Amino acid sequence: SNGSRQDKGSNSDKNLHVSGYGPNTTLADIVNLFAPHVQVTEVVMKRGFAFVNTNDASRARRVKEVLNGALLNGGSIRINFAQRSSRDGGFNSTSSNISSSSNSYGGSGHNRSSSFGRGDGPLPQNQYGQIDYDAVRDDRGNPATKNLFVAGYGTGTTEQQLREAFGLHAVITGCVMKGTFSFVNTSDKVSAVHARNALGGSIMNGGVLRINFAKETGRLGTSF
C-alpha cells in the first residue's frame, strides 16, 4: 500500500501533497476539511496544489485514505505524501523550501511566495513598479507600522515561537503576549509589512494567524 515503507513515522509521512480542489478553495477550506481527522500544523498553498503538514504520521496516512477523492469546491482532491529533501527539510517540489527549523510549531520557516498564507496578493506598487509601503493597509484599513497585532494562534503558543517565526522576516525589538493575542514589534515598517504578508493565514499550533498593524506608541505595542 502507499506509504507501507514509511510506517516508522518519518517526517515525510506527516506531510501531504493535496491537489485537484476547486479554483476558489482557500486555506481555511483546506484546514476545515482536514482538521476533523488530524491536527494540521501548517498549510502552504501554491498554484493548483497545497502542502498540508500534520503532527501525526499514522493519522496522516488515515486521512489520506479517507479524504482521497473527496469533493472540495467542485473538485475531487488527490492526496499523496509530500517528499522532503534530506539536506534542509524543505519540500522538493516547492520553489522556496521550508526551513528545517519546523519543529517548534510544525513550520516556523515559511514559504515566502505571494501565494502562501492569506492570499492577499501582491503588495501595492507605485508608478515605478516599486512597493508603495505608504499605500499598504491591513484588514481594518490601518496603515502600515512597524508594530504588529497577532492573533489566532493555537493554545500553547509561546513568545519564543512568535519570535522565531517573525524573526525570519524582521528584526524583532519586542514581543508581548496577552493571552489570545500578542504585539510583535519590529525595527522598521518595511520589515513588518513583509512579515505580515508572509505569515498572515499560516498555521501556528493549529490556529490560523491573523495579523494587523498596531499603532506606534511610546510603549511596546499597546494599542490596536
Side-chain angles (χ1 to χ4, degrees):
S1 62
N2 290 337
S4 61
R5 291 177 296 175
Q6 299 178 320
D7 290 337
K8 298 298 183 181
S10 65
N11 284 337
S12 62
D13 223 10
K14 300 177 183 179
N15 304 317
L16 302 170
H17 178 281
V18 183
S19 61
Y21 46 77
N24 296 323
T25 299
T26 65
L27 183 146
D29 291 334
I30 294 176
V31 172
N32 290 336
L33 179 65
F34 282 81
H37 305 278
V38 65
Q39 182 177 340
V40 176
T41 58
E42 183 182 37
V43 174
V44 179
M45 294 193 73
K46 307 292 283 184
R47 291 187 179 181
F49 64 93
F51 292 108
V52 177
N53 292 359
T54 79
N55 66 348
D56 189 317
S58 62
R59 287 183 179 270
R61 288 194 297 273
R62 177 60 179 163
V63 77
K64 176 178 180 293
E65 297 174 2
V66 171
L67 293 181
N68 227 334
L71 289 178
L72 183 58
N73 292 325
S76 178
I77 65 172
R78 299 181 299 277
I79 306 175
N80 291 292
F81 292 113
Q83 299 300 314
R84 301 176 75 91
S85 65
S86 58
R87 181 173 61 85
D88 60 9
F91 292 110
N92 285 335
S93 55
T94 59
S95 59
S96 178
N97 286 338
I98 293 175
S99 166
S100 58
S101 61
S102 60
N103 56 356
S104 63
Y105 62 91
S108 60
H110 287 266
N111 186 290
R112 302 186 183 209
S113 72
S114 61
S115 61
F116 170 72
R118 295 162 29 83
D120 280 346
L123 293 168
Q125 296 183 346
N126 59 24
Q127 59 181 329
Y128 305 107
Q130 301 169 327
I131 296 175
D132 187 354
Y133 294 98
D134 292 332
V136 174
R137 295 292 184 273
D138 64 18
D139 296 342
R140 295 180 175 232
N142 297 319
T145 68
K146 65 182 179 181
N147 301 330
L148 298 170
F149 172 92
V150 184
Y153 45 78
T155 55
T157 298
T158 66
E159 177 184 334
Q160 182 62 27
Q161 289 174 349
L162 289 172
R163 285 180 175 273
E164 288 180 357
F166 284 84
L168 293 172
H169 307 278
V171 175
I172 307 304
T173 60
C175 181
V176 173
M177 297 194 75
K178 296 179 177 291
T180 58
F181 65 92
S182 297
F183 291 104
V184 177
N185 288 10
T186 73
S187 61
D188 61 278
K189 177 174 71 175
V190 170
S191 296
V193 167
H194 286 287
R196 176 180 180 271
N197 201 56
L199 298 177
S202 59
I203 308 298
M204 181 176 286
N205 290 325
V208 180
L209 288 183
R210 303 189 306 277
I211 306 173
N212 285 300
F213 297 110
K215 295 178 181 178
E216 295 186 19
T217 65
R219 292 177 294 162
L220 173 61
T222 52
S223 59
F224 168 59

